[in-house]
């Protein structure tokens, strides 16, 4: 998909220098990947404390059952 974007050349040059990326496309692609990863992390973090768990669950008991069934 072709796009025509007005980008700050100083920001692009700094990102290329810091990231060791040679092309503008490479910088934008890497920035988008990092942006998406960060947003996914924020989404996951927002789920902390929202999942109910059973305090009596014995994970060791079930771990042994799963290991023996392989």
């Amino acid at each position: 998909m072709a796009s025509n974007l007005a980008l700050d050349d100083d920001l692009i040059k700094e990102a290329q220098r810091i990231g060791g990326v040679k092309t503008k496309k490479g910088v934008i692609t890497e920035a988008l990947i990092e942006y998406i990863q960060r947003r996914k992390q924020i989404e996951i973090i927002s789920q902390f404390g929202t999942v109910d768990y059973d305090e009596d669950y014995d994970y060791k008991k079930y771990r042994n059952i799963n290991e023996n069934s392989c």
Side-chain angles (χ1 to χ4, degrees):
M1 165 178 31
S3 297
N4 186 10
L5 302 172
L7 302 171
D8 185 323
D9 285 334
D10 291 335
L11 289 176
I12 295 291
K13 288 177 186 174
E14 185 174 2
Q16 285 176 307
R17 182 183 58 78
I18 291 171
V21 181
K22 295 182 179 182
T23 65
K24 288 183 180 181
K25 179 181 177 179
V27 168
I28 300 302
T29 300
E30 192 169 309
L32 287 171
I33 290 168
E34 288 184 25
Y35 177 84
I36 291 167
Q37 288 174 342
R38 179 66 180 136
R39 294 296 171 156
K40 286 181 178 181
Q41 289 172 352
I42 290 170
E43 185 178 331
I44 291 168
I45 290 170
S46 73
Q47 298 298 314
F48 288 165
T50 64
V51 177
D52 294 329
Y53 66 97
D54 181 1
E55 292 182 21
D56 296 326
Y57 180 76
D58 184 1
Y59 71 92
K60 290 181 181 179
K61 175 183 173 184
Y62 292 103
R63 182 190 317 163
N64 291 335
I65 292 170
N66 289 333
E67 288 176 356
N68 294 332
S69 66
C70 292

